[in-house]
Amino acid sequence: MSKPLNIGLIGYGFMGRAHSNAYRKVNNFFELDYHPVMKACCARSADKIQAFADNWGWEGIETDWHKLIDRADIDAIDICCPNNLHYEIALAAAKAGKIILCEKPLAMNAAEGLEMTEAVEQAG
């Protein structure tokens, strides 16, 4: 029996929809040790993110990504927001000890990407 992996998604655009669909279907395609639990999704607009959560089956919402990262019930942060926000969110998520999934491009430049990678490696 697979174990739960609680996901926190940041962003609800095309990639947020694509990742939500993948979380719903991944265990139909692969036998995995874990199954994703769509715990909470996050965006600035409460109305828009609630409609997104209702449509895709997310359990809850946040309107501040800092609060999502701080939640003890979130194991992994999935960064699907605009590219210029990846860096700050990834560094905060690494510092909080979260698993990080980040949509491409990873960073705005190689220096940011290297710093993000090093932060994850340092966090273990």
mmCIF file of all heavy atoms in Angstrom, residues 94-123:
data_model
loop_
_atom_site.group_PDB
_atom_site.id
_atom_site.type_symbol
_atom_site.label_atom_id
_atom_site.label_comp_id
_atom_site.label_asym_id
_atom_site.label_seq_id
_atom_site.Cartn_x
_atom_site.Cartn_y
_atom_site.Cartn_z
ATOM 1 N N ALA A 94 13.178 25.136 0.447
ATOM 2 C CA ALA A 94 14.360 24.359 0.839
ATOM 3 C C ALA A 94 14.694 24.608 2.302
ATOM 4 O O ALA A 94 14.956 23.666 3.061
ATOM 5 C CB ALA A 94 15.551 24.714 -0.049
ATOM 6 N N LYS A 95 14.663 25.861 2.712
ATOM 7 C CA LYS A 95 14.947 26.215 4.104
ATOM 8 C C LYS A 95 13.962 25.535 5.057
ATOM 9 O O LYS A 95 14.322 25.143 6.158
ATOM 10 C CB LYS A 95 14.906 27.736 4.281
ATOM 11 C CG LYS A 95 15.318 28.201 5.653
ATOM 12 C CD LYS A 95 15.362 29.716 5.733
ATOM 13 C CE LYS A 95 15.809 30.142 7.126
ATOM 14 N NZ LYS A 95 15.858 31.598 7.254
ATOM 15 N N ALA A 96 12.718 25.361 4.601
ATOM 16 C CA ALA A 96 11.682 24.720 5.420
ATOM 17 C C ALA A 96 11.764 23.186 5.355
ATOM 18 O O ALA A 96 10.968 22.507 6.000
ATOM 19 C CB ALA A 96 10.305 25.189 4.975
ATOM 20 N N GLY A 97 12.700 22.658 4.560
ATOM 21 C CA GLY A 97 12.864 21.215 4.464
ATOM 22 C C GLY A 97 11.840 20.507 3.600
ATOM 23 O O GLY A 97 11.626 19.301 3.744
ATOM 24 N N LYS A 98 11.210 21.233 2.699
ATOM 25 C CA LYS A 98 10.190 20.646 1.825
ATOM 26 C C LYS A 98 10.833 20.015 0.594
ATOM 27 O O LYS A 98 11.885 20.450 0.129
ATOM 28 C CB LYS A 98 9.190 21.708 1.356
ATOM 29 C CG LYS A 98 8.509 22.487 2.455
ATOM 30 C CD LYS A 98 7.622 21.624 3.331
ATOM 31 C CE LYS A 98 6.907 22.485 4.374
ATOM 32 N NZ LYS A 98 6.059 21.722 5.249
ATOM 33 N N ILE A 99 10.187 19.012 0.063
ATOM 34 C CA ILE A 99 10.518 18.500 -1.259
ATOM 35 C C ILE A 99 10.094 19.583 -2.239
ATOM 36 O O ILE A 99 9.044 20.205 -2.063
ATOM 37 C CB ILE A 99 9.749 17.193 -1.538
ATOM 38 C CG1 ILE A 99 10.171 16.109 -0.553
ATOM 39 C CG2 ILE A 99 9.916 16.753 -2.986
ATOM 40 C CD1 ILE A 99 9.230 14.905 -0.524
ATOM 41 N N ILE A 100 10.887 19.812 -3.284
ATOM 42 C CA ILE A 100 10.570 20.876 -4.232
ATOM 43 C C ILE A 100 10.424 20.296 -5.634
ATOM 44 O O ILE A 100 11.297 19.585 -6.121
ATOM 45 C CB ILE A 100 11.667 21.961 -4.239
ATOM 46 C CG1 ILE A 100 11.787 22.584 -2.848
ATOM 47 C CG2 ILE A 100 11.349 23.029 -5.282
ATOM 48 C CD1 ILE A 100 12.991 23.484 -2.690
ATOM 49 N N LEU A 101 9.309 20.639 -6.241
ATOM 50 C CA LEU A 101 9.079 20.381 -7.657
ATOM 51 C C LEU A 101 8.947 21.756 -8.284
ATOM 52 O O LEU A 101 8.170 22.583 -7.800
ATOM 53 C CB LEU A 101 7.787 19.589 -7.853
ATOM 54 C CG LEU A 101 7.738 18.279 -7.072
ATOM 55 C CD1 LEU A 101 6.317 17.909 -6.735
ATOM 56 C CD2 LEU A 101 8.431 17.198 -7.858
ATOM 57 N N CYS A 102 9.719 22.033 -9.323
ATOM 58 C CA CYS A 102 9.703 23.375 -9.906
ATOM 59 C C CYS A 102 9.569 23.294 -11.413
ATOM 60 O O CYS A 102 10.355 22.617 -12.081
ATOM 61 C CB CYS A 102 10.973 24.133 -9.526
ATOM 62 S SG CYS A 102 10.937 25.880 -9.986
ATOM 63 N N GLU A 103 8.582 23.984 -11.914
ATOM 64 C CA GLU A 103 8.344 24.041 -13.354
ATOM 65 C C GLU A 103 9.509 24.760 -14.022
ATOM 66 O O GLU A 103 10.203 25.565 -13.399
ATOM 67 C CB GLU A 103 7.000 24.760 -13.607
ATOM 68 C CG GLU A 103 6.518 24.723 -15.012
ATOM 69 C CD GLU A 103 6.530 23.349 -15.650
ATOM 70 O OE1 GLU A 103 6.053 22.373 -15.044
ATOM 71 O OE2 GLU A 103 7.027 23.256 -16.778
ATOM 72 N N LYS A 104 9.733 24.465 -15.282
ATOM 73 C CA LYS A 104 10.826 25.086 -16.014
ATOM 74 C C LYS A 104 10.379 26.380 -16.685
ATOM 75 O O LYS A 104 9.187 26.534 -16.937
ATOM 76 C CB LYS A 104 11.388 24.103 -17.031
ATOM 77 C CG LYS A 104 10.371 23.649 -18.069
ATOM 78 C CD LYS A 104 10.991 22.604 -18.970
ATOM 79 C CE LYS A 104 10.075 22.208 -20.064
ATOM 80 N NZ LYS A 104 8.935 21.425 -19.681
ATOM 81 N N PRO A 105 11.274 27.265 -16.943
ATOM 82 C CA PRO A 105 12.674 27.188 -16.559
ATOM 83 C C PRO A 105 12.832 27.350 -15.051
ATOM 84 O O PRO A 105 12.071 28.080 -14.413
ATOM 85 C CB PRO A 105 13.342 28.330 -17.305
ATOM 86 C CG PRO A 105 12.249 29.322 -17.563
ATOM 87 C CD PRO A 105 10.981 28.506 -17.690
ATOM 88 N N LEU A 106 13.824 26.660 -14.518
ATOM 89 C CA LEU A 106 14.050 26.650 -13.080
ATOM 90 C C LEU A 106 14.243 28.062 -12.527
ATOM 91 O O LEU A 106 13.661 28.417 -11.507
ATOM 92 C CB LEU A 106 15.274 25.787 -12.756
ATOM 93 C CG LEU A 106 15.695 25.713 -11.298
ATOM 94 C CD1 LEU A 106 14.619 25.009 -10.479
ATOM 95 C CD2 LEU A 106 17.026 24.998 -11.164
ATOM 96 N N ALA A 107 15.073 28.848 -13.191
ATOM 97 C CA ALA A 107 15.446 30.167 -12.674
ATOM 98 C C ALA A 107 15.550 31.164 -13.818
ATOM 99 O O ALA A 107 15.470 30.802 -14.991
ATOM 100 C CB ALA A 107 16.781 30.059 -11.941
ATOM 101 N N MET A 108 15.775 32.408 -13.459
ATOM 102 C CA MET A 108 15.909 33.458 -14.466
ATOM 103 C C MET A 108 17.299 33.463 -15.102
ATOM 104 O O MET A 108 17.492 34.013 -16.174
ATOM 105 C CB MET A 108 15.608 34.825 -13.844
ATOM 106 C CG MET A 108 14.179 34.955 -13.323
ATOM 107 S SD MET A 108 12.907 34.698 -14.575
ATOM 108 C CE MET A 108 13.104 36.193 -15.532
ATOM 109 N N ASN A 109 18.277 32.863 -14.420
ATOM 110 C CA ASN A 109 19.634 32.778 -14.954
ATOM 111 C C ASN A 109 20.378 31.642 -14.248
ATOM 112 O O ASN A 109 19.871 31.066 -13.275
ATOM 113 C CB ASN A 109 20.372 34.121 -14.798
ATOM 114 C CG ASN A 109 20.381 34.611 -13.365
ATOM 115 O OD1 ASN A 109 20.819 33.906 -12.451
ATOM 116 N ND2 ASN A 109 19.881 35.828 -13.145
ATOM 117 N N ALA A 110 21.575 31.354 -14.714
ATOM 118 C CA ALA A 110 22.350 30.235 -14.179
ATOM 119 C C ALA A 110 22.742 30.450 -12.716
ATOM 120 O O ALA A 110 22.741 29.501 -11.927
ATOM 121 C CB ALA A 110 23.591 29.996 -15.031
ATOM 122 N N ALA A 111 23.054 31.666 -12.344
ATOM 123 C CA ALA A 111 23.455 31.942 -10.961
ATOM 124 C C ALA A 111 22.323 31.632 -9.987
ATOM 125 O O ALA A 111 22.545 31.020 -8.935
ATOM 126 C CB ALA A 111 23.915 33.398 -10.819
ATOM 127 N N GLU A 112 21.098 32.051 -10.319
ATOM 128 C CA GLU A 112 19.949 31.728 -9.471
ATOM 129 C C GLU A 112 19.733 30.220 -9.408
ATOM 130 O O GLU A 112 19.486 29.674 -8.333
ATOM 131 C CB GLU A 112 18.673 32.379 -10.018
ATOM 132 C CG GLU A 112 18.503 33.821 -9.679
ATOM 133 C CD GLU A 112 17.149 34.370 -10.126
ATOM 134 O OE1 GLU A 112 16.271 33.606 -10.577
ATOM 135 O OE2 GLU A 112 16.981 35.585 -9.996
ATOM 136 N N GLY A 113 19.816 29.556 -10.553
ATOM 137 C CA GLY A 113 19.627 28.109 -10.596
ATOM 138 C C GLY A 113 20.641 27.376 -9.735
ATOM 139 O O GLY A 113 20.291 26.428 -9.024
ATOM 140 N N LEU A 114 21.886 27.817 -9.777
ATOM 141 C CA LEU A 114 22.927 27.201 -8.956
ATOM 142 C C LEU A 114 22.637 27.405 -7.472
ATOM 143 O O LEU A 114 22.734 26.468 -6.674
ATOM 144 C CB LEU A 114 24.294 27.776 -9.320
ATOM 145 C CG LEU A 114 25.475 27.238 -8.515
ATOM 146 C CD1 LEU A 114 25.613 25.725 -8.688
ATOM 147 C CD2 LEU A 114 26.758 27.956 -8.924
ATOM 148 N N GLU A 115 22.253 28.607 -7.100
ATOM 149 C CA GLU A 115 21.939 28.890 -5.697
ATOM 150 C C GLU A 115 20.741 28.061 -5.218
ATOM 151 O O GLU A 115 20.739 27.540 -4.097
ATOM 152 C CB GLU A 115 21.668 30.384 -5.495
ATOM 153 C CG GLU A 115 21.562 30.772 -4.038
ATOM 154 C CD GLU A 115 21.405 32.269 -3.828
ATOM 155 O OE1 GLU A 115 21.651 33.056 -4.759
ATOM 156 O OE2 GLU A 115 21.036 32.649 -2.699
ATOM 157 N N MET A 116 19.743 27.912 -6.069
ATOM 158 C CA MET A 116 18.571 27.098 -5.722
ATOM 159 C C MET A 116 18.976 25.635 -5.517
ATOM 160 O O MET A 116 18.573 24.999 -4.541
ATOM 161 C CB MET A 116 17.514 27.211 -6.822
ATOM 162 C CG MET A 116 16.877 28.585 -6.921
ATOM 163 S SD MET A 116 16.035 28.879 -8.502
ATOM 164 C CE MET A 116 14.581 27.849 -8.305
ATOM 165 N N THR A 117 19.794 25.123 -6.415
ATOM 166 C CA THR A 117 20.255 23.744 -6.320
ATOM 167 C C THR A 117 21.083 23.534 -5.066
ATOM 168 O O THR A 117 20.915 22.540 -4.349
ATOM 169 C CB THR A 117 21.067 23.375 -7.573
ATOM 170 O OG1 THR A 117 20.262 23.572 -8.720
ATOM 171 C CG2 THR A 117 21.546 21.949 -7.532
ATOM 172 N N GLU A 118 21.979 24.454 -4.777
ATOM 173 C CA GLU A 118 22.802 24.351 -3.577
ATOM 174 C C GLU A 118 21.949 24.409 -2.306
ATOM 175 O O GLU A 118 22.237 23.709 -1.333
ATOM 176 C CB GLU A 118 23.869 25.450 -3.574
ATOM 177 C CG GLU A 118 24.955 25.215 -4.613
ATOM 178 C CD GLU A 118 25.909 26.388 -4.772
ATOM 179 O OE1 GLU A 118 25.589 27.518 -4.308
ATOM 180 O OE2 GLU A 118 26.974 26.183 -5.392
ATOM 181 N N ALA A 119 20.913 25.233 -2.303
ATOM 182 C CA ALA A 119 20.028 25.320 -1.130
ATOM 183 C C ALA A 119 19.327 23.989 -0.876
ATOM 184 O O ALA A 119 19.213 23.548 0.272
ATOM 185 C CB ALA A 119 18.997 26.428 -1.318
ATOM 186 N N VAL A 120 18.899 23.335 -1.934
ATOM 187 C CA VAL A 120 18.236 22.025 -1.799
ATOM 188 C C VAL A 120 19.242 20.987 -1.299
ATOM 189 O O VAL A 120 18.933 20.199 -0.404
ATOM 190 C CB VAL A 120 17.601 21.593 -3.136
ATOM 191 C CG1 VAL A 120 17.144 20.154 -3.094
ATOM 192 C CG2 VAL A 120 16.438 22.510 -3.481
ATOM 193 N N GLU A 121 20.442 20.988 -1.860
ATOM 194 C CA GLU A 121 21.456 20.038 -1.427
ATOM 195 C C GLU A 121 21.826 20.240 0.037
ATOM 196 O O GLU A 121 21.966 19.279 0.783
ATOM 197 C CB GLU A 121 22.682 20.141 -2.328
ATOM 198 C CG GLU A 121 22.436 19.610 -3.727
ATOM 199 C CD GLU A 121 23.563 19.878 -4.701
ATOM 200 O OE1 GLU A 121 24.497 20.647 -4.359
ATOM 201 O OE2 GLU A 121 23.501 19.322 -5.814
ATOM 202 N N GLN A 122 21.951 21.487 0.473
ATOM 203 C CA GLN A 122 22.287 21.796 1.864
ATOM 204 C C GLN A 122 21.158 21.370 2.805
ATOM 205 O O GLN A 122 21.406 20.955 3.928
ATOM 206 C CB GLN A 122 22.596 23.279 2.034
ATOM 207 C CG GLN A 122 23.905 23.682 1.418
ATOM 208 C CD GLN A 122 24.136 25.187 1.448
ATOM 209 O OE1 GLN A 122 23.299 25.961 1.943
ATOM 210 N NE2 GLN A 122 25.258 25.617 0.907
ATOM 211 N N ALA A 123 19.933 21.466 2.340
ATOM 212 C CA ALA A 123 18.772 21.088 3.167
ATOM 213 C C ALA A 123 18.621 19.578 3.273
ATOM 214 O O ALA A 123 17.917 19.082 4.135
ATOM 215 C CB ALA A 123 17.504 21.708 2.603
#
